[in-house]
Amino acid sequence: MRLAFAVAFFLMTCNQVLASQDLDALFDAPCERYGVPKALALAIASHESGMGPWAMNIEGRTVLHADREQALALSQACLMRGLSFDIGVMQVNSQWLRRYKLPLDVVFGPRGNIQVGVWILAQCIKRHGLTWQAVAAYHTPVERNPDRGRAYAVAVLDRMRRMNASPSSSAPTPVVEQSRPANQAVAQAPMLVKRFREVASNERIVR
């Protein structure tokens, strides 16, 4: 996959993110590059890690770290032992590190982690379209466990609606600002919300 190799090359050239950098801003470039709605990527990151850059999940157990050194030490030990674990803001699974030989220290850093996480989400959207199945596939293959995937998608929707809710209104604001230039995937973001709502309200699957 040429795109995957492009991601790996980009990661090799990334510098570590300074603590003062705004995590939100780090989503701009990869979301634009891979055609992923930023609001959706932010909702997944918030749901997965609470936007914690050094968060881990080791075979279903959440582990929070105070600093980068602790996180890297434990993740390196898990990698050597062959354990499955998720790391960083987007909770990138260790399978991607092994499959593409991505550098652990860079993928755990916020910039590299968001870059890879958004790319993974883009692959899900490419396969399933901008649907709840695509969001579910970021966490669990839909074919393997559709009920779990549906629950995950609904949870992400709830978070996205809360994150984009207007302080003066209970109605959600548009997922994207219509005044901005947008590619097709971004322009379809409101339809994603509509489909999510249908799944949450009456279990209909709309594609």
Side-chain angles (χ1 to χ4, degrees):
M1 299 173 68
R2 287 185 295 176
L3 185 56
F5 287 116
V7 172
F9 178 78
F10 174 87
L11 291 174
M12 292 298 294
T13 61
C14 279
N15 294 321
Q16 291 300 320
V17 177
L18 299 176
S20 61
Q21 286 186 299
D22 182 6
L23 288 177
D24 182 279
L26 296 179
F27 284 83
D28 291 338
C31 284
E32 181 178 357
R33 180 177 183 181
Y34 300 123
V36 171
K38 181 180 176 181
L40 175 58
L42 284 170
I44 288 177
S46 180
H47 181 74
E48 288 282 348
S49 70
M51 300 294 282
W54 312 123
M56 284 188 69
N57 186 291
I58 305 172
E59 298 192 334
R61 182 170 62 92
T62 299
V63 181
L64 299 177
H65 299 283
D67 57 42
R68 175 179 180 273
E69 288 69 26
Q70 294 176 347
L72 283 176
L74 183 56
S75 58
Q76 184 63 54
C78 291
L79 194 63
M80 293 178 65
R81 292 178 59 188
L83 300 178
S84 175
F85 59 94
D86 307 313
I87 58 174
V89 176
M90 294 290 286
Q91 290 292 278
V92 174
N93 188 263
S94 53
Q95 66 167 311
W96 301 101
L97 302 174
R98 296 185 175 101
R99 182 180 302 179
Y100 298 113
K101 302 186 186 303
L102 303 178
L104 176 62
D105 59 333
V106 176
V107 179
F108 216 148
R111 184 185 299 276
N113 191 272
I114 292 169
Q115 171 80 15
V116 174
V118 171
W119 176 80
I120 294 170
L121 180 56
Q123 306 314 299
C124 297
I125 293 173
K126 181 178 180 180
R127 179 179 179 185
H128 297 283
L130 201 55
T131 63
W132 73 265
Q133 288 95 333
V135 180
Y138 185 85
H139 181 263
T140 302
V142 180
E143 301 82 2
R144 184 184 304 172
N145 195 330
D147 291 336
R148 186 182 183 191
R150 184 181 293 110
Y152 178 84
V154 170
V156 169
L157 167 66
D158 289 341
R159 188 170 294 267
M160 184 164 60
R161 289 161 68 182
R162 282 185 276 115
M163 291 172 66
N164 290 278
S166 170
S168 60
S169 171
S170 59
T173 56
V175 174
V176 293
E177 298 178 20
Q178 297 302 318
S179 60
R180 291 184 179 180
N183 55 35
Q184 184 178 4
V186 175
Q188 289 178 321
M191 183 57 67
L192 176 67
V193 175
K194 178 182 177 182
R195 289 168 177 166
F196 272 0
R197 286 174 179 159
E198 290 172 341
V199 171
S201 63
N202 56 26
E203 295 299 306
R204 283 187 294 164
I205 300 176
V206 180
R207 296 202 57 161

